[in-house]
């Protein structure tokens, strides 16, 4: 797994699934231009506590249910 680096203090750490959370851009920014709210994976730096936004997180489609 790739380490991510804190832009604030320079600390490098492995992003863990359990510490990941999802953030969204505030209303009015991306919604204006792309017609939707973008979500990003975010982690908190274990050293300084700053939020690190890792990358865009695409919306998951609803699970496909198969009709038998
Ligand atoms: Zn940090």
């Amino acid at each position: 797994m790739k380490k991510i680096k804190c832009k604030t203090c320079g600390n490098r750490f492995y992003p863990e699934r359990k510490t990941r959370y999802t953030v969204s851009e505030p209303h009015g920014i991306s919604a204006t231009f792309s017609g939707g709210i973008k979500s990003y994976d975010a982690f908190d730096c274990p050293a300084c506590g700053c939020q690190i936004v890792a990358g865009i997180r695409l919306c998951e489609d609803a699970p496909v249910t198969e009709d038998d």
Side-chain angles (χ1 to χ4, degrees), residues 6 8-9 11 45 47-48:
C6 174
T8 304
C9 71
N11 179 48
C45 174
C48 71

Side-chain angles (χ1 to χ4, degrees), residues 24-59:
S24 300
E25 286 182 357
H27 286 267
I29 297 178
S30 66
T32 305
F33 296 106
S34 63
I37 307 290
K38 291 196 183 93
S39 295
Y40 299 88
D41 277 340
F43 302 88
D44 285 341
C45 174
C48 71
C50 279
Q51 182 182 77
I52 299 154
V53 177
I56 190 163
R57 184 168 179 78
L58 301 176
C59 292

